[in-house]
Amino acid sequence: MNLSAIVETTSGPVRGIAEDGVTAYRGVPYARAKRFGTPERADWTGVLEANEFGPAAPQLASRLERVMGSFEVPQAEDCLSLNVWAPPGDGHPVLVFLHGGGFSSGAGSLDWYGGAEFAARGGVVVVTVNYRLGVLGYLRLPGISEGNLGLLDQVAALTWVRENIRAFGGDPERVTAAGQSAGAISLVALLSGEPGRGLFQQAILQSTPLGMAPATPEEAEQTGVKLLQELGIEATQLDAVPVADLLAAQFAVASRARSGILPPFQLTGDGTLVAADPVAAVGREVDIPILMGTTRDEGAAFLLDDRGAMAAATEHVFAGPARQLAATLAARGVPPWLFRFDWQPADSPFGACHCLELPFLLGDAAAWRAAPMLRGERPQRLVDEMRDSWLAFVTSGNPGWSRGDTRHFTG
């Protein structure tokens, strides 16, 4: 084990591991999570040996397992940690990545999202984040939780980055926040409300479900009541419910909802942290550089057995709203850079489905080897092309094509 020098943070000293041309700091707590509480400051005494990933948020198997593959990692309610991959030197631009998973699965600590290769190739500091999911992250019930706890976790992580990333060689004034799917719509939500603005200077929005509106406070509270009914308890008893029972009740609520792609426990448009219509707010008020796009066949990951529904989901949840937002921003004189990921493995039933661009940006060949959506293919030429485009945007604010134009990644 090749230990690095100790880095001082506002929470305490941290020591990482030098590997593959960068220094990796895994499992660094950026906050502490208590059930249904807002994130609290994390502090420690002594040197934190940041050589292992922190636990993922409690979750059940992902509904995207059939395209991405399965994973088994430790889980815990106190899951608020981040991971940093830092190249040598100072003043590097920073990429903070928020994972997807429908607000109910995933973790920034998965090997899929490893930042070593990306950081080493482009001389950028890469940060990935674990945040609370499902009922533990997005329950809204009066007197218990106001909702959006997972989003407040992300605010806490981005605030930690702003306060500490200089110690890891990053420039806090050159932070690009990237997200995929739920991670991307989270960034749109953060840009729509005052508390989340100013935490990053650029955004990358991958496969953003812009057609998925946040729940109204009333809708979110009704979902919370359904959870209580599944458990057969009063709201005041929620603190004592085992995590496994909470997840089982969450699954039951989702199964009864029959809401397609929309998860029952998700963002709440509270009008403060999240605008009632985040897409409209971003289109009306945001002027930071944005790189955004979709895959060609987004819906295939969810609705493979119904081609009509698959195409409708691709258009109405992802592609159509993305075009509308791009047009709105262009009309204000701040057009985004656009992309579409069109490559697919030969004879793949999934086509260019939701999540297919991820293996070409983060992680490495070993991390993605078992992903069914790749069918054993991951052309290095496309890996290099995608990474160089994203790196160009992170470092210079321009991915390499004209603003407002769409770049097709075909391999």
Side-chain angles (χ1 to χ4, degrees), residues 232-319:
I233 63 171
E234 300 294 326
T236 53
Q237 298 173 279
L238 275 170
D239 272 345
V241 177
V243 171
D245 293 346
L246 284 176
L247 293 178
Q250 172 187 308
F251 181 81
V253 171
S255 298
R256 296 180 195 279
R258 300 183 182 279
S259 54
I261 294 177
L262 182 68
F265 294 97
Q266 59 127 344
L267 299 171
T268 299
D270 58 14
T272 303
L273 181 62
V274 182
D277 187 343
V279 178
V282 169
R284 182 175 61 248
E285 301 173 19
V286 171
D287 59 2
I288 65 171
I290 294 176
L291 169 62
M292 58 182 286
T294 63
T295 67
R296 188 190 63 218
D297 308 310
E298 297 276 6
F302 308 95
L303 302 160
L304 180 64
D305 301 324
D306 187 335
R307 290 293 179 180
M310 178 198 80
T314 298
E315 173 61 20
H316 298 305
V317 178
F318 298 98

Side-chain angles (χ1 to χ4, degrees), residues 220-239:
E221 289 170 17
Q222 290 169 6
T223 301
V225 170
K226 292 176 183 176
L227 181 86
L228 296 178
Q229 293 171 344
E230 290 290 344
L231 291 166
I233 63 171
E234 300 294 326
T236 53
Q237 298 173 279
L238 275 170
D239 272 345

Side-chain angles (χ1 to χ4, degrees), residues 194-212:
E194 289 298 328
R197 290 190 195 160
L199 292 174
F200 47 93
Q201 289 73 48
Q202 301 186 138
I204 301 175
L205 308 176
Q206 299 171 213
S207 296
T208 317
L210 293 170
M212 191 176 82

